[in-house]
Amino acid sequence: MRQEGGRKPRRTRAVTDAAKQARRARILSSAARLFSSHEYHAVSMAAIARAAGLAKGTVYLYFDTKESVFLDLVSSELAAWVAHSSVRLEETNQNATPADVAKAVASALAERPALIRLIALLHVVLEQNTEREALRAFKIRLLAITEQAAGVFEQALRLEPGTGTRLVLWMHALTVGLSQMTPQGAQVAALVEQDPALAVFRLDLRTELEAALTLLFTPQMPTEPRRRFS
């Protein structure tokens, strides 16, 4: 990457904590931009460095591996989704039905396509290729986000306190599964669209997720005001 006149951008060392945090955020932002238009395997640490205007070695001062970069993106996207969902659910009234909650959640997820792609990679790629200590640090962050989300859904669905964690894990599994079943790529999409016998596979993620979450959130017994997800 060169400035006008063919000069390379000047490399400066981040000294203060604020400067280091800004550089870290710059790396993550560059990775997110690349991921928005490329498949995961096509995004390299060298490409992230170029996009951030940094030397490749500088990126490695902040992240040991590409997987660690993307695990950080997962954390950021999940935290943003929980905050987004919380705002959406606050806009519903206290008498919101399970279908209302499911609609708000599915809508908030559908508006974050990067998150859907990231969690599809999380367990089969990112976690499988991460060192133990880095993985543990990520799992601790993930636990905090999961507990925060559990509180949001306990309030929205009027569940007993402390019972929402398992519900959040089931929501995660539904999202991963449905995202992988949604036609990916032009060839698969064209195949299911053109062949009437394959119509059942013409899935819209937002629609299917809303329907599945409505079933998940709806009590099985009409007289039972609360359920325990445990």
Side-chain angles (χ1 to χ4, degrees), residues 46-142:
I48 293 171
R50 286 194 299 271
L54 299 170
K56 183 178 177 181
T58 301
V59 175
Y60 278 108
L61 293 176
Y62 293 85
F63 298 96
D64 292 336
T65 63
K66 184 175 79 167
E67 286 78 14
S68 64
V69 175
F70 278 81
L71 285 176
D72 217 313
L73 287 177
V74 171
S75 298
S76 298
E77 284 287 334
L78 278 172
W81 168 73
V82 173
H84 188 185
S85 295
S86 182
V87 171
R88 285 286 178 89
L89 293 172
E90 286 176 0
E91 294 172 353
T92 64
N93 57 51
Q94 293 185 344
N95 297 318
T97 66
D100 295 330
V101 176
K103 182 177 182 179
V105 173
S107 176
L109 267 172
E111 293 171 12
R112 308 193 78 85
L115 174 57
I116 293 171
R117 292 177 62 206
L118 284 167
I119 61 175
L121 292 168
L122 177 57
H123 305 299
V124 296
V125 176
L126 302 181
E127 290 186 343
Q128 297 300 318
N129 295 289
T130 299
E131 295 292 336
R132 180 183 176 86
E133 287 306 310
L135 181 59
R136 186 175 187 277
F138 167 73
K139 283 294 194 182
I140 290 173
R141 295 196 304 271
L142 184 61

Side-chain angles (χ1 to χ4, degrees), residues 1-65:
M1 179 177 180
R2 294 179 179 272
Q3 295 176 334
E4 292 183 6
R7 292 176 299 169
K8 293 182 179 180
R10 189 176 65 175
R11 309 294 187 187
T12 58
R13 183 177 180 182
V15 177
T16 67
D17 287 341
K20 291 177 181 178
Q21 288 300 318
R23 180 161 288 180
R24 183 183 181 90
R26 182 170 156 193
I27 294 168
L28 290 171
S29 176
S30 298
R33 287 198 307 272
L34 288 171
F35 187 60
S36 69
S37 57
H38 297 76
E39 295 298 326
Y40 172 78
H41 64 81
V43 179
S44 65
M45 290 290 268
I48 293 171
R50 286 194 299 271
L54 299 170
K56 183 178 177 181
T58 301
V59 175
Y60 278 108
L61 293 176
Y62 293 85
F63 298 96
D64 292 336
T65 63

Side-chain angles (χ1 to χ4, degrees), residues 114-208:
L115 174 57
I116 293 171
R117 292 177 62 206
L118 284 167
I119 61 175
L121 292 168
L122 177 57
H123 305 299
V124 296
V125 176
L126 302 181
E127 290 186 343
Q128 297 300 318
N129 295 289
T130 299
E131 295 292 336
R132 180 183 176 86
E133 287 306 310
L135 181 59
R136 186 175 187 277
F138 167 73
K139 283 294 194 182
I140 290 173
R141 295 196 304 271
L142 184 61
L143 175 61
I145 296 169
T146 300
E147 290 176 342
Q148 181 185 359
V152 169
F153 292 107
E154 286 167 4
Q155 181 176 359
L157 293 166
R158 298 177 289 282
L159 302 172
E160 295 178 8
T163 62
T165 301
R166 184 63 61 83
L167 175 64
V168 173
L169 296 179
W170 290 346
M171 290 170 55
H172 176 95
L174 274 172
T175 303
V176 171
L178 287 171
S179 69
Q180 292 178 344
M181 292 176 66
T182 303
Q184 300 290 327
Q187 179 174 311
V188 177
L191 179 65
V192 300
E193 183 64 32
Q194 295 169 6
D195 190 337
L198 301 178
V200 68
F201 299 118
R202 298 171 192 168
L203 301 178
D204 174 75
L205 178 60
R206 180 172 179 171
T207 301
E208 298 300 329

